[in-house]
Amino acid sequence: MKIKEIRVIVCNPGRNFVTVKVITENGTYGLGDATLNGREMAVVTYLEEHVVPCLIGRDAQNIEDIWQYLYRGVYWRRGAITMAAIAAIDMALWDIKGKVAGLPVYQLLGGKSRTAVTVYAHANGENIEGTLDEAEKLIKQGFKAIRLQSAIPDLAVTYGVLGDKKDYFELQGDRPLPPEQEWSTKKYFNMIETLFACARERFGHDIDLLHDVHSRLTPIESAKLGKMLEPYNLLFLEDASIAENQDNYKVIRQHTTIPLAIGETYNSIWDCKDLIQNQLIDYIRVAATHAGGITPLRRIADFASIYNVRTAPHGAPDLSPVCFSAHMHLNIWAPNFGIQEFVGFGNDISNKIFKQDMRLENGMVYVSEEPGLGIDFDEEEAKKHPYKRSYLPVCRLEDGTLWHW
Ligand code: EZ4
Ligand code: CO
């Protein structure tokens, strides 16, 4: 089953998505996601210039060998750009294998470990009340787990709550240079405990609550936050401190029993290894798109399972529906699956481009039963919504110092 052609298509139904289509000689094709938010075109070039020429004529059935060939065969291993490129090829090959077998990908992984996948939704607000009003709407829709983020009073813009930059993603053409946001740990600490205290008072203790620090805190500040939030029983605290210095998590762990989650920026099992085997985290959040695809995510999940670490794949709006679908197949199989981040199935435009039949019911998502990943891609529709240069925000302290982001 030789690979005949590989197409790399960038579209923007609101966010940029890099989609890879691997086509075999007999016409079967598979889809993969190679989106690297804010650096999309670097991955496109990596694929077109360096990966595609190596794969034409190779047997699409040998997923493992192709993965090893692209990973080990390159002297320059790892890195976000390389791993996003490998990820997209890997997903597409699993998609093809499923189509050939006439089975959804989760069946190839070992079948279902659960009936559906519990997801957590985002409640973002300009203030505590606004965030809790959002949370209430989500609870009424049936969500059982909610991530709470609130803007910090007296700061220009807080990450995850874009404030006056909310319309950034509505802008047409190339977007302005990175939006700038402010950070003050002192002001954040004045707000954050109240947010969770009010949430527990208003919603009780049955609902699962989560929070993402976006790596804004030093380890000792994270430890303090963990202790501060312990009474409110969070499902996990995400990205408490920066991901590069994993010793941070030893410091945090010494001080607090709050469950910790990290990994959305990790590119390989090597990035996860020490945190997992030292049991310094409770949830590993690697994304299929950013850590090399389904093949390595399965390996990471198995490795994590022997150290009591559960999976909680990244699910932000800049991961395409192809990645979400790949996560769904992994989630429904992984014995140590924890929870999936979920921001909806996309807008009207993206739903015309990416066609899928996953469904949300009572805070749980049901996997597609179609062969392969269960997702299709309308190239003509995609062409109507071309790439727009966009950036992630940067973060400064109030005196102008560039902070963790
Ligand atoms: O900042 O996906 O948990 N979700 C997040 C996201 C990430 C973006 C980066 O591209 O932290 O909002
Ligand atoms: Co995050």
Side-chain angles (χ1 to χ4, degrees):
M1 238 190 121
K2 286 187 175 163
I3 296 172
K4 188 177 138 207
E5 191 191 344
I6 300 177
R7 291 186 204 147
V8 184
I9 307 118
V10 191
C11 66
N12 188 318
R15 308 283 184 135
N16 290 315
F17 292 130
V18 180
T19 306
V20 168
K21 189 170 181 177
V22 176
I23 306 162
T24 65
E25 267 176 358
N26 67 3
T28 309
Y29 65 86
L31 299 171
D33 177 29
T35 308
L36 188 61
N37 193 5
R39 293 292 184 270
E40 298 85 354
M41 301 313 283
V43 188
V44 173
T45 304
Y46 189 98
L47 279 161
E48 289 181 344
E49 284 295 317
H50 308 295
V51 173
V52 173
C54 298
L55 297 183
I56 303 302
R58 229 164 254 284
D59 188 348
Q61 294 177 107
N62 299 336
I63 303 177
E64 187 70 52
D65 183 66
I66 288 180
W67 194 91
Q68 301 293 343
Y69 180 80
L70 293 176
Y71 179 81
R72 293 177 197 255
V74 186
Y75 188 71
W76 317 107
R77 293 179 186 181
R78 307 191 291 163
I81 295 164
T82 300
M83 297 312 283
I86 297 178
I89 300 292
D90 183 78
M91 283 180 216
L93 297 181
W94 278 99
D95 194 17
I96 290 171
K97 194 170 284 300
K99 286 178 180 173
V100 170
L103 293 169
V105 166
Y106 74 79
Q107 292 291 11
L108 308 177
L109 296 171
K112 283 185 187 177
S113 297
R114 53 194 59 77
T115 46
V117 165
T118 305
V119 298
Y120 68 92
H122 290 190
N124 302 321
E126 298 301 328
N127 50 46
I128 290 175
E129 213 184 304
T131 302
L132 297 182
D133 289 348
E134 282 306 308
E136 189 168 321
K137 283 186 210 156
L138 295 165
I139 292 167
K140 283 188 179 143
Q141 287 168 36
F143 287 102
K144 296 169 174 52
I146 311 211
R147 190 189 87 166
L148 303 179
Q149 307 294 132
S150 185
I152 301 166
D154 304 328
L155 284 187
V157 194
T158 316
Y159 190 74
V161 188
L162 280 173
D164 62 354
K165 294 283 186 343
K166 256 202 298 285
D167 51 0
Y168 184 78
F169 292 107
E170 311 298 322
L171 296 171
Q172 300 305 308
D174 285 347
R175 277 115 183 207
L177 295 176
E180 302 229 344
Q181 306 182 334
E182 270 186 329
W183 183 258
S184 154
T185 297
K186 192 168 57 189
K187 288 176 178 168
Y188 171 66
F189 276 1
N190 289 340
M191 175 278 289
I192 193 72
E193 187 177 1
T194 316
L195 173 65
F196 281 89
C198 292
R200 282 298 176 212
E201 206 175 286
R202 188 155 153 188
F203 306 126
H205 285 266
D206 285 342
I207 195 90
D208 277 314
L209 298 177
L210 306 90
H211 180 64
D212 191 349
V213 183
H214 291 117
S215 320
R216 295 290 190 269
L217 300 176
T218 65
I220 203 67
E221 289 170 347
S222 300
K224 190 173 170 187
L225 176 67
K227 286 171 92 162
M228 198 193 284
L229 296 182
E230 274 174 25
Y232 311 108
N233 197 24
L234 270 64
L235 183 80
F236 64 60
L237 185 69
E238 177 183 334
D239 287 340
S241 286
I242 56 163
E244 302 95 300
N245 183 356
Q246 302 191 346
D247 285 341
N248 289 345
Y249 285 78
K250 286 187 201 153
V251 177
I252 303 167
R253 215 38 158 189
Q254 278 165 10
H255 294 284
T256 174
T257 57
I258 197 165
L260 299 170
I262 191 170
E264 65 185 51
T265 60
Y266 288 163
N267 303 135
S268 83
I269 195 165
W270 301 106
D271 293 336
C272 312
K273 175 181 153 285
D274 290 351
L275 287 174
I276 291 174
Q277 73 184 7
N278 294 320
Q279 302 193 170
L280 293 175
I281 55 168
D282 302 280
Y283 294 87
I284 185 73
R285 288 185 33 80
V286 278
T289 299
H290 300 130
I294 293 170
T295 299
L297 252 70
R298 177 177 60 171
R299 207 155 272 147
I300 291 168
D302 276 337
F303 179 66
S305 75
I306 59 178
Y307 296 103
N308 310 305
V309 175
R310 289 192 274 176
T311 61
H314 192 203
D318 49 87
L319 293 153
S320 98
V322 182
C323 177
F324 188 80
S325 173
H327 288 167
M328 281 299 298
H329 289 274
L330 285 156
N331 294 339
I332 205 87
W333 153 76
N336 55 327
F337 164 71
I339 197 158
Q340 171 67 56
E341 184 178 21
F342 179 68
V343 291
F345 288 121
N347 60 24
D348 291 349
I349 303 171
S350 68
N351 284 320
K352 269 188 169 172
I353 300 172
F354 298 94
K355 298 195 173 111
Q356 49 86 16
D357 66 354
M358 287 174 274
R359 67 176 206 287
L360 171 73
E361 219 179 281
N362 248 323
M364 302 181 97
V365 175
Y366 289 75
V367 70
S368 173
E369 299 294 342
E370 292 297 313
L373 290 175
I375 194 147
D376 216 344
F377 181 70
D378 187 330
E379 285 180 63
E380 291 313 307
E381 202 56 41
K383 277 182 202 149
K384 294 183 199 162
H385 306 279
Y387 168 73
K388 295 169 187 169
R389 181 162 49 232
S390 306
Y391 292 92
L392 276 157
V394 297
C395 177
R396 293 183 189 275
L397 299 181
E398 289 167 290
D399 70 357
T401 306
L402 199 79
W403 198 230
H404 284 64
W405 268 62

